[in-house]
Amino acid sequence: MADRETTTMLIIALILVIIYTFAPCSGANVKIGVPENYDGIFPWYLAKLRNLPGNYTELTVTGDDEGIFGVDAQFLYALKPLDREKQPSYSLQVSFRTSEHRQSFTVEVCVIDKNDNVPIFIGESMRGSVQLGLLKEIPFMQVDARDRDDRNTAHAELRFSLMEQTPRIPSSQMFSINSITGEVSLTEEGASTLDPEMCGRYKLLVMVKDMAGKANAFFTNGIVTVEVTGNTWASPDPVRLQENLPGPYPIPISQVKWSGSQAEYSLEGEFPEMLFTISREGVIYLNAPLDRETQDQFQISIVVERPDGREIAKPVELRVMVGDANDNRPTFPQAQYHTVVKELAARGTEILTVQAADNDDPKTDNVRIFYRLVGQIPESPRALFRVDRDSGVISVQADSMEGTAPQYTLTITAEDAKGLNSSCTLVVTVQDENNNPPVFSQHEYGPFHIPEDALVGTTVTAVLAGDADVRGGDSWQVDYRLESGNEEEVFTFVTDKQTNEVSLILSKVLDFERESEYILVLSAQNPVALVRGRYGPASTATVSIYVDDVNEGPILSQSHYEVTVREGEEPGRVIATIRGYDPDSHPIRYSLQGDTKKYFSIGKYSGELKTVQALDREENSTYTMEVIAVDGRNSSLSASTLVTVQILDVNDNSPVLVGDYSWKYLCTPRWEDQALVLASRDSDGPQHGGRLNFSLRSDATVRRNWKLTPINDTHTNLSLNIPYLAPEVYTVPFTISDSSSPPRSTFINLPVTVCPCNVRGNCKMAAKQLQGMPTIQSAVGILLGTFAVIGTILVVVFVRLSYQNPKQPSKTNQERVPLKTSI
């Protein structure tokens, strides 16, 4: 029985060792984790001490003043339950003796927490106050609770929840609590409806749970009292500051105060950095002079935040208005202006308005501006311009601007009530008006003589109409027009825009015999309308032009003649008549040039062109020559024309077969698509010889054996018409005809070789020769006989030479004997 109990205790101890060894204790040789509040059998074996040698004696444990721990047979045990809240850990010294000396080591026993404590609210955290104006979700107080269990475990992990709010006005959900931190804040409804006059105190039923709020957790309820207080957090009154304050800076200008919890302030808005600052007490300072012209007012947002940077309430606004000081001179937007005034402008005519701007406050007299004319270049004996003192309107002061300088430079000043001023210049250009018409220096010009053979583009004369207006302007420019005398547009004119001089230019060829005199009426006007006066007789002139007679050469009626003649036509027929006339009625002589073969002739006075001999189109189809017409009284005057003679074709040539076909053959039995391509030609033109027709002789055998297939106008295919034809040389009779009506024909007997062929299409045996044609054997015999005769002659010659020549000397002597030369 005792052994069984001992075994049970050992098993329990081993399990505990496995479960609790290596618990979070530090600084010991052996670490043991032991749960608190053990309610089992004692002694409670905690762990086996593994650091003992095999020959130890006198095993003891010290460091336990209460006598809770002991050792037995290498096992550490406890005699009563442990309480972590009373003592979380024990440091024990285990000592023993070996054969040599006494040794010891430390055993750290860490008490493992159990959830055996209920969370408790801390009383001072159960009262708080909320300020009017506080934003939602901004904590105004923090509920705190304490749990004696281990804070590093879920046993002390607390969760808060708001159970009930009393009273439930104006809403039942005015507050919220952070479940982890216990921070109490307003909800969105609470932040928008909180009113101390409606309810100045709220009681909140709050629950706190451990175990992170799990179902098996311990919990406690408590009442939180919240007082609602007013707040001084509001927008301060607007501040008006004069610009350019002398200082010293910084200058306090306003103050705000958050009456609730600790707060920090900051400023936001459209202003330079550090121009405005706020202290920890809420005092707002101006740190530098203000300039109203740069910015006339500032809208400053004052932000209140907790120390952690979270905004507590909505920002309030401070409006800073900047008062004006007359510290700006009026200025013109431009340093120089340009305007134009007409020379006939009447007194009081407004020519320009200048406006200066003053950056001071427009609601004050600081921006009232006065204008003055202080200078004029060039000066004039009479006042030409004036400027209105208040409006800046510049107008004409003189009765008229006629006779003045073409340009004036005026100096205008703008000055405010304090005497601050600036100036600008105005360049006034006096614009010329068309009050003077152009006039000719004389009423008639000419007469001017021009030969009738003058070239087109010849300048006849140049005249000028002067204008008293300003040179170079539209009022000075002159437009000329030929009013009469130029109905046939023989003349044109070109105006020099730099001088207004007009040049009369010949634009068509003159003919004395047709027109010998031209009287031109020329008018002059300005391109812009006259504003005063009118165009009178002085603006019109007459130009007389005489055409001088010149002996002219003959003129031919055509520049090119084209003539057609049939070939072979009888010579002597008139094929064309070249017609010409002489403007001076002189006789004309005709001659030919370019007819090198003298095929044509022309009548010397009649101009009749004839053929001298019959023409052949096949020799030459076109002849081109030149006909020269010469003035009968002045041979240096002449005219010429080209004559082209086209020879018309006549069907006077028969078609012929072209090419050598003696070496060609056809295979038998017939090969598909094998044929002899026959070519033909006709020397006539396309009209007669365009398409040539091949046709077999009307013979049944011929048409049975052979077939002709046209390829184009001049070629046809000749092929076998039957599958097999005996190998032989055949004569194929056919006719070639042209396309004329009636046609011309040529009869052909064409030898065609038909032979058996190998697989490559080569003829395997010679075909029989036609009668009268040499065979290959006879040709070879003749060739061998010729070689035999030549050989016999050579033998005879060499034999005779050997008898005539003496015995030849030895090779050595032969080389020393010089060659004989015959003289």
Side-chain angles (χ1 to χ4, degrees), residues 19 129 196 221 280 404 445 449 468 537 582 593 606 612 639 751 758 780:
I19 295 175
S129 63
N221 292 330
R280 297 179 64 86
T404 61
Y445 294 88
H449 291 265
D582 189 282
Q593 284 187 1
S606 65
V612 176
N758 59 18
V780 173

Side-chain angles (χ1 to χ4, degrees), residues 143-163:
V143 177
D144 197 7
R146 182 176 61 217
D147 192 309
R148 295 182 62 204
D149 289 321
D150 189 356
R151 291 186 176 275
N152 297 320
T153 67
H155 303 156
E157 189 174 347
L158 304 182
R159 292 292 183 269
F160 298 89
S161 59
L162 180 59
M163 308 302 294

Side-chain angles (χ1 to χ4, degrees), residues 524-593:
Q525 295 185 5
N526 299 119
V528 296
L530 280 172
V531 297
R532 190 171 65 187
R534 61 186 181 84
Y535 296 105
S539 299
T540 304
T542 301
V543 180
S544 300
I545 301 173
Y546 291 164
V547 180
D548 296 334
D549 186 28
V550 175
N551 185 14
E552 302 169 80
I555 300 173
L556 298 176
S557 60
Q558 295 178 220
S559 60
H560 185 205
Y561 289 81
E562 290 191 359
V563 182
T564 57
V565 179
R566 292 175 63 86
E567 68 172 326
E569 195 167 293
E570 184 179 351
R573 189 175 73 84
V574 177
I575 61 174
T577 300
I578 310 303
R579 301 189 181 279
Y581 74 96
D582 189 282
D584 302 306
S585 301
H586 296 169
I588 300 174
R589 295 196 302 270
Y590 300 92
S591 61
L592 286 176
Q593 284 187 1

Side-chain angles (χ1 to χ4, degrees), residues 27-47:
N29 300 107
V30 178
K31 302 174 186 177
I32 301 174
V34 179
E36 67 174 336
N37 302 328
Y38 174 71
D39 57 355
I41 300 172
F42 291 94
W44 177 22
Y45 287 90
L46 304 179

Side-chain angles (χ1 to χ4, degrees), residues 382-445:
R382 56 189 176 126
L384 300 179
F385 306 97
R386 68 176 296 273
V387 60
D388 186 81
R389 179 174 179 269
D390 296 315
S391 65
V393 174
I394 302 169
S395 59
V396 176
Q397 178 72 12
D399 294 332
S400 171
M401 298 297 294
E402 285 188 278
T404 61
Q407 192 175 81
Y408 291 92
T409 300
L410 309 180
T411 301
I412 312 294
T413 63
E415 185 175 311
D416 64 11
K418 190 178 179 180
L420 300 175
N421 64 77
S422 64
S423 62
C424 71
T425 58
L426 171 63
V427 179
V428 181
T429 300
V430 181
Q431 185 183 59
D432 179 46
E433 292 194 88
N434 193 16
N435 56 341
N436 295 289
V439 296
F440 289 98
S441 59
Q442 56 193 75
H443 184 62
E444 295 184 357
Y445 294 88

Side-chain angles (χ1 to χ4, degrees), residues 658-664 750:
V658 180
D660 180 15
Y661 303 93
S662 61
W663 56 276
K664 296 185 178 181
L750 179 66

Side-chain angles (χ1 to χ4, degrees), residues 512-523:
F512 173 82
E513 289 73 22
R514 183 177 179 183
E515 192 72 45
S516 61
E517 180 182 0
Y518 294 91
I519 305 299
L520 307 180
V521 177
L522 185 65
S523 66

Side-chain angles (χ1 to χ4, degrees), residues 429-641:
T429 300
V430 181
Q431 185 183 59
D432 179 46
E433 292 194 88
N434 193 16
N435 56 341
N436 295 289
V439 296
F440 289 98
S441 59
Q442 56 193 75
H443 184 62
E444 295 184 357
Y445 294 88
F448 301 100
H449 291 265
I450 182 171
E452 67 172 327
D453 61 352
L455 298 177
V456 172
T458 300
T459 300
V460 180
T461 186
V463 296
L464 174 67
D467 194 297
D469 289 315
V470 176
R471 184 183 182 90
D474 291 341
S475 302
W476 175 81
Q477 294 288 342
V478 179
D479 288 342
Y480 294 93
R481 186 170 62 186
L482 287 171
E483 300 291 345
S484 63
N486 192 41
E487 287 74 12
E488 296 185 2
E489 298 180 351
V490 177
F491 301 96
T492 186
F493 57 85
V494 175
T495 304
D496 186 346
K497 296 299 183 180
Q498 303 299 319
T499 63
N500 274 342
E501 186 179 64
V502 62
S503 299
L504 285 173
I505 298 173
L506 184 65
S507 62
K508 288 186 178 179
V509 176
L510 297 173
D511 187 355
F512 173 82
E513 289 73 22
R514 183 177 179 183
E515 192 72 45
S516 61
E517 180 182 0
Y518 294 91
I519 305 299
L520 307 180
V521 177
L522 185 65
S523 66
Q525 295 185 5
N526 299 119
V528 296
L530 280 172
V531 297
R532 190 171 65 187
R534 61 186 181 84
Y535 296 105
S539 299
T540 304
T542 301
V543 180
S544 300
I545 301 173
Y546 291 164
V547 180
D548 296 334
D549 186 28
V550 175
N551 185 14
E552 302 169 80
I555 300 173
L556 298 176
S557 60
Q558 295 178 220
S559 60
H560 185 205
Y561 289 81
E562 290 191 359
V563 182
T564 57
V565 179
R566 292 175 63 86
E567 68 172 326
E569 195 167 293
E570 184 179 351
R573 189 175 73 84
V574 177
I575 61 174
T577 300
I578 310 303
R579 301 189 181 279
Y581 74 96
D582 189 282
D584 302 306
S585 301
H586 296 169
I588 300 174
R589 295 196 302 270
Y590 300 92
S591 61
L592 286 176
Q593 284 187 1
D595 180 22
T596 57
K597 295 187 177 181
K598 306 299 181 183
Y599 285 154
F600 304 92
S601 66
I602 191 168
K604 184 175 182 180
Y605 295 104
S606 65
E608 293 179 344
L609 183 65
K610 300 178 181 180
T611 58
V612 176
Q613 53 184 298
L615 303 175
D616 184 4
R617 194 200 68 83
E618 284 70 39
E619 180 183 343
N620 194 358
S621 61
T622 303
Y623 295 88
T624 301
M625 64 205 80
E626 188 178 20
V627 175
I628 309 297
V630 181
D631 190 325
R633 295 184 183 177
N634 186 353
S635 60
S636 64
L637 301 176
S638 63
S640 64
T641 183

